[in-house]
Amino acid sequence: MNYMILLPVVLPVIVGFALLFLHEGVFRDRRGLLKVTGVSFAVSAALALYVISGAAGDRLILFRLVDDIPVYFAVDDLGRLFAGVVVAVFLLAGFFSFVYMSHEKNEKRYYSFYLITFGVLMGLCFAGNLVTLYLFYEFMTLASMPLVIHNGSKEAVMAALKYLFYSFCGAYMALFGIYFLYRYAIVFENPGDALNGTHYYEIAHMMGFVPGGSLDMAAVVESGNATLCLVAVFLMLVGFGVKAGCFPLQAWLPTAHPVAPAPASAFLSGIIVKGGILAIIRTVYYCVGVDFLRGTWVQTVWCILAVITLLMGSSLAFKEKILKKRLAYSTVSNLSYILLGLSMMNAAAFTGSLLHVVFHALIKSGLFLFAGALIFGTGRVKVKEFAGLGKKMPVLFWSYTICSLGLIGIPPTSGVISKWYLAEGCLESGIAGLSWIGPVALLASALLTAGYLLPLAVNGFLKAPLDEEALDKYREPAPCMLVPVVVLAAATLLLGVFPTPLMEFVGGIAAALK
Amino acid sequence: MEFIRNFPFFSILLSLGSGVLTSIMNRKVARFWNTFVLLAVTVMSAVLFVYMLGVGEPYTFMMGHFPAPWGNEIRAGVLEAGMALFFCIVMLLSMKGGEEHIDREIEDTKANLYYIMINLLLSSLLALIYTNDLFTAYVFVEINTISACGLIMIRQSGRTIEAATRYMIMSSLGSGLLLMGLCVLYDITGHLLMSNIKQSIAYVYTQGIYNIPLVASIGMICVGLAIKSALYPFHTWLPDAYGYSTVSSAAILSSLVSKGYIFLLIKIFFRVVGFDIIVDSKIVNILFVFGLLGMIMGSVNAIMENDIRRMVAFSSVAQIGYIYMGLGLGTTFGIVASIFHVLSHASTKSLLFVAAAGLTDASGGSKRFEDLTGSGYRNPMAGIAFTMGACSMVGIPLFSGFISKLLFAEAAVQNSLSKMLPTLICLAISTVLNAIYFMKTVIRLYTPKSRNVKKTEAGEAAIVSFREHPLYNFTLILMIALNVLLGCCSQPIADWIISGINMFG
Amino acid sequence: MGGNLLANYGEAVAMILFGIGFSNLLLQKNLIKKIIGLNIMDTATYLFLAEKGYIAGRAAPIVVDNVTSVEAYINPVPSGLVLTGIVVSVSVTALMLSLTIRLYRRYHTLDMDEISTMLKKEDQ
């Protein structure tokens, strides 16, 4: 048994809980706390990389929950991709928070839940069947909730409640689907495929993740429940879509993300929402199988929902005045790029979606960290208040500009690649109407993105500041905060210029699905 | 090994006898003796359980000198032994968790009365579990009711007396129906022992002459027991009874007393009437509908509640709805899920009640939500325990509640469409409602209190440290462990339930 | 149907009484009337049992004159059940009455609804 797979899941959780319960006095001062958390961040990330590298083996049945539903971990390429992104953002945002959190209370609690969330996310990435995925999905909601509620204000509590209710509603819609699909799970009898000489696959009904689907669709059709099955899948899509901010259950996202401390917002907006995306990919591509869904009403409705969310998110972001909220709305619209791509159910769109997962995670966390650095340095929150600051903080604002270009999709930044694939996938899909509405919506949304992101950069560099005298106080943020933003901006640029390795990797995943 | 077969009888007699003995003891001795009895019965049940697992066959134990069909009998199978073991454990934990409250809230002169009631309750629960005789079951149902009434009103206040009265009225309605049902059944079959009745009923049912009275009597028994176990809409007494009595009482009442009746009902399904006839008679459909109603309405009421204890009490209404829904599915899987939910709910609800007591202690004795704000920091262990319990109720994986929901859903999808859809939909709605009120509470527990703390009647909210209440905290840890154990090692337990039901056969 | 009812008039009366008792226990507001309802309900059950336990022309199950034929005696169990039932119902009635006394001392009324409203006032 490859119990090593558990390490990056369990260790951060244990350390997190230990931190939570240890008395403040154990760490003599803030430095002591930072040292401990820094080391545990690094160790957790290293362990995660160790598992991602595949050295820890790739399968593990931990124990059986009931009869033939095991808690099962499997490391595949999709999991590796997501885990890699998580590790990158986790480290950078964690590094950033060492300075940022100095002006927040309850720092210890923040780090402990940050660590726990990381562990849970690793579990989510490496989950090998739908029930394990659901387990970590629920834990993810619970573990990330304290991050939202962190400052304890009434607004934060209400946001956290909203977050919880939406998430639970979604999770139970998904659970409903899982219950229903459970009995159609294929009984695997494929000992030849088993690695290490053990017969992991010989488990009935486990709803494991197999490229192309692991449900016995013949049985579904035979039992005459095909319509009901589609309903169940649709519910799962909407349910998991809650986390991914998909219309009609997206309202929590713009409320919950901005109230968290900036590094937590980056983590929430960049990573946690991708948990929903991962769950949808696992459901549609690895459990149900696209062949069953292609051409049904589920696909059409899904596309329409994605397009609606896409335009709505962008327009709301365009209207929003507060920077962090604007970024949160932008998350809504960008996630629906991904969902739109997934709903097309062809290789090109799928590749585009996965690429956009990576790019959006990096860019959006970069943007939120930028917002955090600005708020930390100036105490301002509204977009127009940042006018003229670019002259004082050139590095920070240049990084922001690059990230923005990435999100809009202007070469040579990374965003253009994913959008290219998405548009191509839409055109290829051949769904009546949507095959051209999709690209049009993408284009419109890109324009809106430019509209809501670029003015900040332009005004920052060119416009006169609101109050000249205050300007002298401001300078570039501390290196601890600046470096993560710069790194993320550099990554946006680099992945745009040299996308080939990543594209090959993602292409491999997409190819395996066929 | 034959000696072990006496254990059911010993445990009933021991608890019944010590009920009498306790009346001449003072508080300390009574408490000690009560703990001893509970432990002894736990050990005996555990030994019997292990023995039964080994033997794999049920046995009947002749009470007195008359063989069946005239004498009285005890019957033990693996399910009975396991249930007895579990009930004893939960009762022991609830007693220990609420011990400080018992000492504080009950007058010295009445303390031993409380322990009498507990002993009587234990004996009647054990008798309900083990007996093979319907009329004995009726008598112990009454003993159960009376001692439960005592548990409610031992803490003297207007609310508890009123709750006890309401409880007695509802229970009397239930037992009247139960008794009438039994009499009609006896009239039709001429027997009182379960196994003999079953044979007669199988014969009578194939003959088809007495089907209307037969169904009527089964209906009366089912409705009677449903009323007694507080199935919606017969739950009106429940929130007051659970909300205002002392903690141990509330925990025991919600997790055990109603479950004793439910277990009896399941026994009647399998051992007296025969499951096929029950399903055929469509009575399960009625239980199914009321179960679904209870699931939703209990949660809706809980959401509107502003008192933590009453909220948990209303959640019991919902959970009992789950159990009856499982029974109403009319399949063996449904019954397995229901029995698992009995276990899961018993362990979770006692945990919640005991934890809630710790939280109210840390908030100056107030049970209102405003005063509970931030109490998770003031009594950390109780806060954690409540959170764990809430997670289990909401159905977070790894806790027992998730498994029972999974089992319910599994049972539902094997049913026909007309039952599967309502079940799954109500399960989903009810779970979301659960999540709403439990998570709302948990967040409140961990919201820092604002500066202008409102002084409550019992004084300033105090911080409760871990060391001051070692017993309380230890009990909470054990309860959490029990809950997680049910959630993680559910397979052996489900196997055990299935084999137990087969032994009913 | 009618003939059956006439032949078993005792049982029919028992059932009617049971219904009366049940509805009284359920619907009456006055606690004492509720308790009376409870007793009517229980007594109806005993009437039913007694009626079922007696077979016209047979003797009590005590062997007299060496007559051992089963046909000669009635079944003693129903009578035993009635006795047990009476004991149970007496204790339940006693408990109910004592509860009623307590409530009356506290609230000076026997009306359950009034007591409930008073309790609600107490809370505020």
Side-chain angles (χ1 to χ4, degrees):
Chain A
M1 282 290 181
N2 309 310
Y3 283 108
M4 297 297 272
I5 294 181
L6 277 183
L7 272 180
V9 181
V10 174
L11 187 96
V13 174
I14 292 177
V15 175
F17 274 111
L19 267 181
L20 194 61
F21 290 117
L22 278 181
H23 196 261
E24 293 274 359
V26 176
F27 318 99
R28 242 161 286 131
D29 50 5
R30 198 169 164 263
R31 291 181 71 95
L33 177 66
L34 291 191
K35 270 180 201 157
V36 174
T37 34
V39 170
S40 34
F41 282 5
V43 172
S44 308
L47 284 173
L49 289 176
Y50 169 68
V51 173
I52 293 171
S53 74
D58 61 354
R59 274 160 219 187
L60 166 67
I61 290 181
L62 193 58
F63 64 92
R64 271 143 214 266
L65 215 53
V66 257
D67 217 0
D68 26 45
I69 303 184
V71 172
Y72 172 59
F73 293 95
V75 184
D76 61 355
D77 280 347
L78 184 71
R80 287 199 182 100
L81 180 75
F82 273 81
V85 177
V86 173
V87 171
V89 175
F90 167 77
L91 275 181
L92 290 170
F95 193 54
F96 181 91
S97 53
F98 285 152
V99 174
Y100 184 86
M101 292 306 289
S102 64
H103 76 172
E104 296 260 356
K105 280 182 287 184
N106 290 324
E107 227 183 322
K108 189 164 69 72
R109 190 180 75 195
Y110 170 81
Y111 292 132
S112 51
F113 281 110
Y114 192 62
L115 269 168
I116 294 172
T117 313
F118 175 70
V120 171
L121 276 168
M122 283 298 123
L124 191 75
C125 293
F126 298 140
N129 65 358
L130 212 50
V131 174
T132 315
L133 181 99
Y134 176 77
L135 188 149
F136 283 102
Y137 188 81
E138 288 275 34
F139 283 155
M140 178 174 79
T141 308
L142 287 182
S144 55
M145 190 266 288
L147 297 179
V148 175
I149 211 172
H150 186 80
N151 69 12
S153 67
K154 186 150 183 144
E155 193 197 354
V157 173
M158 290 320 287
L161 276 177
K162 205 168 172 185
Y163 173 47
L164 270 188
F165 294 160
Y166 275 88
S167 298
F168 276 127
C169 277
Y172 289 119
M173 280 162 101
L175 192 61
F176 181 92
I178 296 179
Y179 284 154
F180 185 83
L181 294 181
Y182 170 64
R183 63 174 156 166
Y184 296 117
I186 289 183
V187 181
F188 285 106
E189 276 173 272
N190 194 2
D193 187 56
L195 300 176
N196 313 331
T198 40
H199 301 177
Y200 287 124
Y201 273 145
E202 278 184 291
I203 299 162
H205 294 304
M206 65 177 270
M207 299 197 278
F209 296 138
V210 177
S214 69
L215 293 187
D216 192 356
M217 280 307 153
V220 177
V221 176
E222 210 172 280
S223 67
N225 282 340
T227 322
L228 212 56
C229 194
L230 283 178
V231 174
V233 174
F234 182 68
L235 281 177
M236 288 175 81
L237 284 178
V238 176
F240 284 131
V242 170
K243 251 310 183 301
C246 183
F247 182 80
L249 292 170
Q250 87 296 2
W252 64 275
L253 200 150
T255 321
H257 283 184
V259 297
S265 311
F267 201 57
L268 283 166
S269 230
I271 297 302
I272 304 275
V273 290
K274 302 297 187 303
I277 302 279
L278 178 65
I280 288 180
I281 297 180
R282 291 295 197 192
T283 310
V284 173
Y285 289 83
Y286 286 75
C287 249
V288 181
V290 279
D291 292 338
F292 180 65
L293 297 176
R294 199 175 281 135
T296 59
W297 59 268
V298 173
Q299 189 186 13
T300 320
V301 176
W302 190 16
C303 291
I304 294 170
L305 285 182
V307 171
I308 292 174
T309 326
L310 202 155
L311 294 173
M312 194 181 62
S314 301
S315 0
L316 286 173
F318 190 71
K319 275 172 61 188
E320 184 57 53
K321 300 215 164 41
I322 295 169
L323 177 58
K324 273 173 90 177
K325 280 202 174 168
R326 181 177 280 192
L327 294 180
Y329 279 119
S330 142
T331 301
V332 173
S333 83
N334 273 282
L335 285 170
S336 50
Y337 287 2
I338 301 172
L339 289 177
L340 180 67
L342 292 178
S343 71
M344 290 301 156
M345 299 183 192
N346 59 35
F350 184 75
T351 314
S353 292
L354 282 191
L355 287 174
H356 204 67
V357 166
V358 178
F359 299 154
H360 176 253
L362 298 176
I363 294 170
K364 191 46 64 70
S365 16
L367 290 177
F368 263 112
L369 292 183
F370 161 81
L374 270 187
I375 292 166
F376 184 82
T378 63
R380 304 174 185 191
V381 290
K382 287 198 178 152
V383 176
K384 63 173 186 233
E385 293 171 344
F386 297 123
L389 295 181
K391 287 166 214 153
K392 288 284 173 185
M393 313 175 182
V395 183
L396 193 65
F397 269 75
W398 272 114
S399 307
Y400 170 81
T401 314
I402 293 170
C403 285
S404 308
L405 293 179
L407 208 57
I408 302 162
I410 295 174
T413 52
S414 57
V416 65
I417 300 163
S418 54
K419 289 195 179 178
W420 177 266
Y421 272 104
L422 284 173
E424 194 189 318
C426 284
L427 291 171
E428 252 176 42
S429 72
I431 308 172
L434 282 164
S435 55
W436 59 269
I437 290 181
V440 170
L442 282 177
L443 206 62
S445 166
L447 285 176
L448 283 169
T449 312
Y452 64 74
L453 283 179
L454 284 184
L456 201 158
V458 173
N459 294 345
F461 284 119
L462 302 178
K463 216 176 176 182
L466 287 178
D467 40 353
E468 289 285 352
E469 58 272 23
L471 203 60
D472 293 337
K473 297 194 298 219
Y474 304 140
R475 45 187 144 63
E476 290 281 359
C480 224
M481 290 163 88
L482 191 59
V483 170
V485 185
V486 173
V487 169
L488 286 167
T492 311
L493 209 54
L494 275 180
L495 285 174
V497 181
F498 307 107
T500 329
L502 184 67
M503 272 164 63
E504 275 172 4
F505 187 73
V506 172
I509 300 175
L513 284 171
K514 288 306 134 205
Chain B
M1 291 314 270
E2 284 299 303
F3 181 70
I4 295 180
R5 298 190 165 206
N6 293 316
F7 278 1
F9 171 64
F10 284 168
S11 25
I12 297 175
L13 200 72
L14 178 66
S15 44
L16 200 60
S18 42
V20 180
L21 266 182
T22 313
S23 59
I24 53 164
M25 296 175 182
N26 65 13
R27 177 195 286 269
K28 267 195 171 162
V29 181
R31 185 167 72 201
F32 173 77
W33 182 250
N34 180 266
T35 312
F36 169 75
V37 169
L38 279 170
L39 276 175
V41 176
T42 310
V43 171
M44 280 197 278
S45 311
V47 171
L48 182 71
F49 181 50
V50 173
Y51 169 76
M52 290 310 304
L53 280 179
V55 174
E57 278 208 336
Y59 69 88
T60 49
F61 179 88
M62 200 167 73
M63 301 276 289
H65 295 285
F66 303 108
W70 295 286
N72 201 337
E73 272 181 358
I74 278 177
R75 180 184 178 281
V78 64
L79 188 58
E80 284 96 330
M83 274 299 194
L85 173 64
F86 185 79
F87 279 15
C88 289
I89 293 174
V90 172
M91 190 179 254
L92 188 63
L93 290 177
S94 313
M95 284 305 289
K96 289 292 139 195
E99 195 167 283
E100 288 169 32
H101 289 259
I102 297 173
D103 288 350
R104 205 187 316 147
E105 288 166 0
I106 297 171
E107 300 159 40
D108 242 351
T109 48
K110 290 201 174 120
N112 61 348
L113 288 179
Y114 190 74
Y115 292 105
I116 294 177
M117 295 301 169
I118 294 288
N119 283 329
L120 282 182
L121 189 72
L122 178 63
S123 77
S124 62
L125 280 175
L126 290 171
L128 285 184
I129 290 173
Y130 285 124
T131 185
N132 196 25
D133 180 295
L134 265 187
F135 207 77
T136 314
Y138 165 71
V139 172
F140 278 99
V141 161
E142 287 293 348
I143 296 181
N144 203 344
T145 310
I146 292 175
S147 48
C149 180
L151 288 186
I152 297 171
M153 57 177 289
I154 195 84
R155 186 180 172 201
Q156 299 273 339
S157 76
R159 279 278 189 188
T160 54
I161 296 174
E162 191 243 18
T165 316
R166 280 188 187 280
Y167 176 62
M168 277 313 288
I169 293 167
M170 274 326 224
S171 287
S172 307
L173 288 171
S175 15
L177 282 175
L178 175 64
L179 181 61
M180 204 63 198
L182 294 185
C183 289
V184 176
L185 207 57
Y186 178 56
D187 181 31
I188 297 171
T189 61
H191 288 288
L192 285 173
L193 282 184
M194 297 185 176
S195 353
N196 299 342
I197 299 181
K198 191 176 176 186
Q199 287 167 4
S200 307
I201 287 190
Y203 174 73
V204 169
Y205 198 73
T206 47
Q207 295 289 311
I209 336 166
Y210 287 120
N211 280 6
I212 296 172
L214 188 66
V215 171
S217 74
I218 300 169
M220 280 197 264
I221 293 175
C222 288
V223 174
L225 286 173
I227 291 178
K228 289 185 85 87
S229 47
L231 175 64
Y232 186 87
F234 309 114
H235 68 285
T236 42
W237 54 272
L238 187 142
D240 278 354
Y242 293 3
Y244 298 96
S245 51
T246 184
V247 190
S248 298
S249 301
I252 289 172
L253 281 168
S254 64
S255 49
L256 300 183
V257 174
S258 45
K259 306 300 179 305
Y261 302 135
I262 290 168
F263 190 72
L264 180 65
L265 187 61
I266 294 173
K267 255 179 100 159
I268 288 177
F269 277 10
F270 280 93
R271 304 254 319 121
V272 178
V273 187
F275 199 54
D276 299 334
I277 297 179
I278 286 280
V279 175
D280 201 35
S281 72
K282 307 276 190 295
I283 287 174
V284 283
N285 297 357
I286 301 170
L287 295 182
F288 181 70
V289 171
F290 281 105
L292 291 183
L293 266 179
M295 281 162 70
I296 306 292
M297 294 311 295
S299 303
V300 169
N301 279 323
I303 289 177
M304 298 192 291
E305 205 43 72
N306 194 24
D307 171 322
I308 186 167
R309 286 273 292 277
R310 284 173 64 93
M311 183 197 86
V312 179
F314 269 119
S315 135
S316 282
V317 177
Q319 304 303 318
I320 285 168
Y322 277 84
I323 295 171
Y324 275 95
M325 182 270 289
L327 297 184
L329 284 174
T331 56
T332 321
F333 277 98
I335 303 281
V336 173
S338 284
I339 296 181
F340 191 90
H341 198 66
V342 166
L343 303 179
S344 142
H345 178 238
S347 65
T348 313
K349 203 38 73 70
S350 48
L351 171 67
L352 280 173
F353 270 118
V354 174
L359 295 172
T360 49
D361 279 355
S363 314
S366 167
K367 293 182 290 185
R368 306 191 78 75
F369 279 129
E370 305 93 77
D371 303 321
L372 282 170
T373 312
S375 57
Y377 296 112
R378 298 195 290 275
N379 191 346
M381 192 61 218
I384 293 166
F386 194 90
T387 312
M388 296 277 186
C391 287
S392 171
M393 277 288 147
V394 174
I396 304 290
L398 294 189
F399 293 102
S400 62
F402 176 71
I403 303 291
S404 52
K405 290 202 170 95
L406 195 69
L407 289 175
F408 276 127
E410 238 177 84
V413 292
Q414 283 164 352
N415 233 305
S416 65
L417 207 59
S418 57
K419 275 192 181 173
M420 175 177 82
L421 274 186
T423 312
L424 289 184
I425 291 169
C426 285
L427 210 57
I429 295 177
S430 149
T431 316
V432 170
L433 294 178
N434 268 343
I436 289 178
Y437 59 85
F438 272 116
M439 287 301 138
K440 184 184 77 178
T441 317
V442 168
I443 287 185
R444 186 167 275 285
L445 296 184
Y446 288 102
T447 310
K449 201 158 188 167
S450 54
R451 256 150 259 107
N452 46 351
V453 181
K454 206 181 76 192
K455 273 202 175 178
T456 49
E457 278 170 43
E460 188 67 31
I463 290 173
V464 181
S465 87
F466 193 82
R467 287 181 194 79
E468 273 172 55
H469 306 277
L471 182 65
Y472 175 78
N473 290 317
F474 184 61
T475 320
L476 282 181
I477 292 172
L478 284 183
M479 282 171 156
I480 296 173
L482 183 66
N483 208 324
V484 175
L485 185 78
L486 280 176
C488 291
C489 319
S490 52
Q491 195 47 43
I493 296 168
D495 289 342
W496 153 61
I497 295 174
I498 291 170
S499 69
I501 287 183
N502 289 335
M503 279 189 200
F504 272 160
Chain C
M1 186 68 200
N4 270 343
L5 210 61
L6 213 60
N8 295 319
Y9 66 93
E11 287 85 341
V13 170
M15 279 303 172
I16 293 168
L17 278 178
F18 185 84
I20 293 174
F22 189 87
S23 37
N24 265 305
L25 179 56
L26 187 64
L27 302 175
Q28 286 287 356
K29 281 178 189 164
N30 189 305
L31 274 169
I32 297 290
K33 286 185 186 167
K34 269 187 192 293
I35 296 172
I36 292 172
L38 167 70
N39 275 293
I40 295 175
M41 188 174 78
D42 281 347
T43 316
T45 334
Y46 310 143
L47 177 63
F48 181 82
L49 274 176
E51 195 64 37
K52 276 289 157 202
Y54 178 67
I55 301 171
R58 295 195 188 177
I62 300 162
V63 180
V64 192
D65 304 334
N66 284 334
V67 180
T68 51
S69 152
V70 182
E71 302 296 320
Y73 304 115
I74 59 155
N75 183 358
V77 178
S79 320
L81 296 185
V82 170
L83 284 180
T84 321
I86 288 175
V87 174
V88 171
S89 99
V90 163
S91 45
V92 172
T93 311
L95 184 63
M96 289 279 279
L97 282 172
S98 73
L99 283 170
T100 311
I101 293 173
R102 273 171 196 275
L103 279 179
Y104 188 75
R105 282 198 188 136
R106 228 173 240 270
Y107 299 105
H108 305 289
T109 172
L110 286 171
D111 190 324
M112 270 316 266
D113 294 352
E114 268 183 45
I115 294 175
S116 298
T117 39
M118 281 188 202
L119 276 169
K120 275 191 192 119
K121 267 184 210 155
E122 257 180 34
D123 269 6
Q124 284 152 11

